Amino acid sequence: MRRVLFFAVLTLFVFSLVACNDDNSNSEINTVSRAELTEREEMLLLSTADQSFVFDFNVEDKYKEVAVWVEKYESGNLVEEANYVFSMEINKTGTIIFSIPPHKSRDSGEVLSTISINSDGTTGKGWGPAIMTKDDFEFVSGSNPLGSLPVKDKMILASICYSSSKDGVSTLSTDFHADMDRHMDELKKYDVVYLLRSEFK
């Protein structure tokens, strides 16, 4: 029942975005940007998710599909790669939503995330990987700080980082988002990191 309610509210939210955010077609071509939400849209998201990330994209005709997935790292090592790839055909503009509902498993302390993509009046959605929500970990989350991102291979859209350190935890640096391969050591500062990634094809 909770899943049905969650998807119903999420669908309503997506339709709200489609109705109110048609202006993303005016954004720079071949970019992905953090969506500017209205108060109503933020309220809808808060009613269904503990955390959420919303992005608008605007790409050339040559891109026919977008794939979105989550990678999991433990102490800097990749332990789960693209097991939950969600892809959909697109037509130039659209929206990507990644959200984490508030209902967690009593046994594992994890929740199933959701990924939704809307483009050209069509919405696809599905369950993503399980995300940990352990209370004894410090965590920080955030979208890519580079702003309007040029479309490239395997982009980083957002991150969720967990640490058992009592010294506080900060988000991944701008340098990491700009060149992940050269700054992989940053991931070793955290016990667990989830990276939301995308690729346009």
Side-chain angles (χ1 to χ4, degrees):
M1 181 64 183
R2 286 179 175 177
R3 289 187 178 186
V4 173
L5 180 60
F6 176 79
F7 269 127
V9 176
L10 188 61
T11 300
L12 178 63
F13 173 74
V14 171
F15 285 144
S16 172
L17 277 179
V18 173
C20 300
N21 286 350
D22 288 336
D23 60 344
N24 72 336
S25 60
N26 297 323
S27 62
E28 190 176 345
I29 196 73
N30 291 336
T31 58
V32 180
S33 306
R34 188 168 48 200
E36 296 294 330
L37 304 181
T38 65
E39 287 186 14
R40 180 174 184 271
E41 291 164 350
E42 289 179 354
M43 180 197 69
L44 284 170
L45 268 184
L46 285 173
S47 68
T48 61
D50 277 349
Q51 291 188 67
S52 57
F53 303 94
V54 185
F55 302 92
D56 291 327
F57 60 83
N58 184 14
V59 296
E60 294 176 284
D61 283 335
K62 68 178 182 178
Y63 294 106
K64 304 299 184 184
E65 180 183 357
V66 61
V68 183
W69 69 94
V70 175
E71 293 175 355
K72 181 180 179 181
Y73 294 81
E74 292 182 357
S75 301
N77 298 310
L78 180 63
V79 296
E80 197 171 299
E81 179 181 17
N83 289 335
Y84 295 83
V85 177
F86 184 74
S87 61
M88 193 179 96
E89 291 183 1
I90 57 173
N91 183 18
K92 297 183 181 179
T93 62
T95 301
I96 297 168
I97 304 171
F98 177 69
S99 58
I100 303 171
H103 313 298
K104 63 182 178 181
S105 165
R106 293 179 182 176
D107 298 326
S108 66
E110 296 181 329
V111 292
L112 285 176
S113 56
T114 61
I115 297 171
S116 301
I117 301 170
N118 176 275
S119 181
D120 198 28
T122 301
T123 299
K125 51 187 177 289
W127 295 104
I131 305 293
M132 65 180 284
T133 59
K134 294 183 178 179
D135 297 331
D136 54 340
F137 279 72
E138 296 286 332
F139 84 93
V140 63
S141 64
S143 299
N144 191 316
L146 296 173
S148 185
L149 309 173
V151 169
K152 61 180 183 179
D153 291 343
K154 299 183 179 180
M155 306 164 62
I156 303 172
L157 299 181
S159 63
I160 303 173
C161 307
Y162 289 86
S163 174
S164 55
S165 171
K166 302 305 180 185
D167 297 329
V169 59
S170 58
T171 57
L172 293 165
S173 71
T174 302
D175 289 339
F176 177 86
H177 287 87
D179 191 346
M180 175 178 167
D181 291 339
R182 294 182 61 186
H183 296 87
M184 288 294 292
D185 283 351
E186 281 194 38
L187 297 179
K188 295 179 181 179
K189 298 187 299 184
Y190 310 94
D191 293 82
V192 177
V193 174
Y194 298 95
L195 296 180
L196 176 66
R197 309 195 68 179
S198 68
E199 183 175 15
F200 290 82
K201 306 174 183 179

